[in-house]
Amino acid sequence: MKAMYLDVASLHRPEISKLRSEFASVESNMATKMTLGEEAAAAAPVSPNKMEKEGTKKKPVAIEDKFHSLFIDPAINKMNENMKDTFKQLDDLTKQMEKEREERWKTRHVKGRQDIPGPLEGSGQKIEDIISLIEDLIMYEDEERKEKKAMASPDHLDDVAHVSMMAQGLGAYISTLDSNHLQKLSTRILSDTTLWLSRLFRFTDTSAYYHTDDREGLIRLCRLVLHNKYEKYGTEGFNALYTKPPVIYISSASRAGLGQHICFQLGLPLSSLCTVPCNTVFGSQHTMDIASLGRLIKDDIASSKVPLLLVANAGTPLAGHSDNLSRLRELCDEFKIWLHVEGDNLAALPLGSPPSSVLAAKKANSITLTPSVWLGLPAVPAVTLYKVSDPATALAAGLCSTQIHEKLSALPLWVTLQFMGHKGVIKKVKHAADLSLHMAQKLNSMSTIHLNVQEDVVSTVVVFRYDEDKGKPGADKAPYASEGENVKPDVALQKVYDSLNRWLFDKLQQDVPQVKIDLIETDNDGVCLRFSPLQSVAYKATSSDDVNQFIESLEKYVIQLNNTIKSRESFQKEVEVRDSLSIVEAVHFGGLGAVQYIPELWQSRLEDLPDNGKTEIDALNSDLLSRLQSSEDGHLFSLQRKVNDTVCVGVGVLSANIEIEELVDLIHTLGKEVEDSSKFLETMAEIIRKGIDAANEELKRENESKMIEEGVLRQIPWVGSFVNWWSPMPKEAGVKGRSLNLSSGELESTEPTYKYHMQIQQDSPVSSPTKTTPVANDLKENPADPGTGDNDGEMTTEKAPETEGTVITVSTSNATNTSTTESELSATEESGKTGGISQTEIGVEAMEDKVPVLNHVAPTEG
């Protein structure tokens, strides 16, 4: 028992303590009683008789021991075992509660950290699962569905690209070296790379700044010039610019958003940005107008502004034209302006004899190079080379790389330049220049392809456009150039050629993916195609054979475009002479033209077309398009939309010699068929609507007459029930329903249906109700086709409904126009009297070729 108490004492739960105390009190009571009994027996006086009978006194003791051994001890042992079992259960319950407490704590902890993403929970994931996820992200546009594959990697990676990627991993390893040794190593790599780039690109005695964003170098240069122009800029900040604000000049042909980005990063107002217009009369329309620039600079100086920096282009982003860098250098020297040059044509500087238009960039104050694009080096930073006399200002502007990781960013260039060598760099640049020259020569021999080239300037970019024949009189300039007051035809013609060039771009991209072309749009030339091998040849491995294949595909499509342009006038004339057809202008659609079939009902209301009219025209033209696409020349037709967002049918580029008259006849004939089928359904709907109105009127009259015949007493609650019990109405009494015969257009009584409990259809000739509806003549003129069988005389039986009402089904076969079609029309009329309200419901299903289903419900008062 003592051991048991010790075991119980080790527990601290309130329930267990309570049980212990109860059990201890019971035992203490029992022990107290036994002790008191023994003390009382010992304290009693001992008589002689008792002393004599001492031997006899031991017998009750033996009996008491036996009583204890037989009854008390087993009971106590049993109680002890039960208590042990109880304490064991309590111990198990305590352990379970502790476990649940821990789980609740974990749950509360996880709920408190809902910001932890799923992939980061726990102790991490296996590297195999991570690599599998990366593969899915690379190979598929949607890694969950895995439906469409995506070319996330370039088609071709040469050895130079692999070396560049290896060098980036090597840079991460080098960054773990000892800081002193790492400082010396990174400085050596940075100085070597800067020296090699300055010698290769003929920009000697310069410093370099390496940056991932190719615009960041220009921003740092602006800060450098601000420190040079304003002596107190380093101490007073923008207060030094208040009296004489700076001005940055940028060409209108520069990349979009460059000037705004500079102002936002420097904290300058947009008034500090001056956009210089391009030439309009002489020279390229993509180069800076130097005369306008001179006037702008003088005006700014007169307005107490400080000309700060000029951004010139050696190869504009779209057309690849170069500004006159020599003239700009003279102008900058005159007004003490910093000249910065950027562009893809700077890649020609390492050549043995670079073009003079590019060689003038050596006189600039700074240039930005993108060797990652020109040489095909993945993730290699851009480089800004600049000339500065005071290194302190460069340090203040952030142009000096002080951090070790910034210096190590030059490691990939340091490795790849040594791997390629001078000849390797020249080989890549020269290959791109040869491809652009080869493409320009081939395109120049085609009469309908117009090149946008800069005279006497070598460029690595070829921009061309399909346009009017150059041999045609007056085609020296763009045919859409407006003269005089007649501007609308020119704008429309420009949109046509823009759409054709978009179509040509899609076709060429599909046929020759090795030759990468871009679709660009300029203010002067419209939509053009751009070939820039310097930006794509490293990853596409484009060769001269690929260019020849590109030219062959282009010639094939140009023939189709020429035939389409020649046929446009005749196509418009054929459409104009046919009713319900009209030529419309579709958004961004190029081809023979876009037509729209307009029903006669809406032809006079096109200027103020309601919503239901638009819906009907859209549905009709969509149905017409589906029928046209199922024809032999279905590939020519496509869904297009007008400016007002209504549907029209686009007739695309002619791929073969097709008779225009037959093509327009096909569109017109199918349009008429669609319109006639729609009219048939509308007329049938009119018949049913009139039938509903007539049935409601007759049912209303019958309800009134029934009330008069039955009397007033039958209409009073409670009284009417007693009268109906005392004098029941005959079973035949009551309002009968009406059925609409779609063949004759007449209403018939449903009394035979309720009399015989069957739906009975009497024989009726196929003659339309000329007295009631206009569709009767159409139904009469187009009887059922004898080849398909006449179902009008057929009697059909169906189980009649138990409630008053009518369900009538009529099957007819009709011939519309000159072709045979089958229509299954079902009319359902259900009428019943509920609270004085009569409901009539008629549903019509026309299961004809592409004819919609009509349902009509008309409630009326009884």
Side-chain angles (χ1 to χ4, degrees), residues 52 55 86 119 286 495 566 596 612 743:
E52 293 177 356
T86 303
H286 297 275
K495 292 182 178 179
K566 291 178 183 178
Q596 191 176 50
N612 59 337
S743 298

Side-chain angles (χ1 to χ4, degrees), residues 57-120:
K57 290 179 182 179
K58 295 180 181 179
K59 276 185 179 179
V61 175
I63 294 171
E64 186 178 354
D65 293 341
K66 192 172 182 179
F67 176 78
H68 275 277
S69 62
L70 290 176
F71 297 101
I72 302 299
D73 292 342
I76 292 175
N77 293 334
K78 186 66 176 178
M79 185 182 298
N80 189 12
E81 292 177 358
N82 293 337
M83 292 300 294
K84 286 181 178 180
D85 294 339
T86 303
F87 290 150
K88 184 179 180 181
Q89 294 178 3
L90 291 174
D91 290 338
D92 296 338
L93 179 62
T94 302
K95 293 178 181 179
Q96 183 179 358
M97 292 176 66
E98 290 291 339
K99 186 177 180 181
E100 291 178 355
R101 188 183 302 110
E102 291 179 0
E103 292 178 355
R104 287 196 298 269
W105 182 85
K106 291 179 180 179
T107 303
R108 289 194 299 268
H109 181 71
V110 172
K111 287 184 178 180
R113 295 300 307 275
Q114 291 181 350
D115 57 329
I116 298 178
L120 302 184

Side-chain angles (χ1 to χ4, degrees), residues 322-525:
S322 298
D323 292 326
N324 193 335
L325 300 180
S326 300
R327 291 280 309 277
L328 292 177
R329 177 70 272 178
E330 296 174 0
L331 197 63
C332 290
D333 290 339
E334 180 181 355
F335 296 102
K336 297 181 181 180
I337 300 175
W338 185 284
L339 177 61
H340 178 76
V341 182
E342 61 181 16
D344 289 341
N345 289 347
L346 292 176
L349 285 174
L351 297 177
S353 54
S356 58
S357 58
V358 180
L359 192 59
K362 296 194 306 179
K363 302 177 182 179
N365 298 101
S366 59
I367 59 175
T368 295
L369 310 176
T370 54
S372 60
V373 177
W374 303 339
L375 305 179
L377 307 177
V380 169
V383 185
T384 296
L385 302 178
Y386 59 95
K387 300 176 181 179
V388 62
S389 57
D390 187 5
T393 56
L395 182 62
L399 285 168
C400 294
S401 301
T402 57
Q403 300 296 325
I404 294 178
H405 71 274
E406 294 180 355
K407 296 180 179 180
L408 283 179
S409 62
L411 179 62
L413 271 176
W414 186 79
V415 175
T416 51
L417 288 177
Q418 293 183 82
F419 180 75
M420 295 177 66
H422 182 222
K423 291 184 179 180
V425 174
I426 293 177
K427 182 180 178 181
K428 283 209 167 189
V429 175
K430 192 173 185 304
H431 177 61
D434 292 341
L435 287 178
S436 62
L437 180 62
H438 182 55
M439 176 72 79
Q441 291 175 351
K442 293 289 185 180
L443 294 175
N444 197 30
S445 61
M446 304 174 69
S447 60
T448 53
I449 297 297
H450 293 243
L451 288 175
N452 190 341
V453 296
Q454 185 178 8
E455 297 182 359
D456 302 330
V457 175
V458 178
S459 176
T460 58
V461 178
V462 179
V463 177
F464 60 96
R465 168 186 171 90
Y466 174 79
D467 220 315
E468 198 171 356
D469 192 348
K470 291 181 286 189
K472 186 177 179 180
D476 294 337
K477 58 181 178 179
Y480 44 81
S482 59
E483 291 182 1
E485 299 178 355
N486 191 13
V487 179
K488 292 184 180 179
D490 300 329
V491 174
L493 187 59
Q494 180 186 7
K495 292 182 178 179
V496 170
Y497 279 106
D498 287 346
S499 302
L500 293 177
N501 279 278
R502 290 189 182 95
W503 177 87
L504 183 61
F505 168 76
D506 294 334
K507 293 295 183 180
L508 291 174
Q509 281 287 85
Q510 296 175 5
D511 288 359
V512 193
Q514 296 83 6
V515 179
K516 186 179 184 304
I517 55 175
D518 300 316
L519 191 70
I520 64 173
E521 186 171 1
T522 63
D523 297 335
N524 299 322
D525 304 321

Side-chain angles (χ1 to χ4, degrees), residues 311-323:
V311 182
N313 291 305
T316 55
L318 293 180
H321 294 187
S322 298
D323 292 326

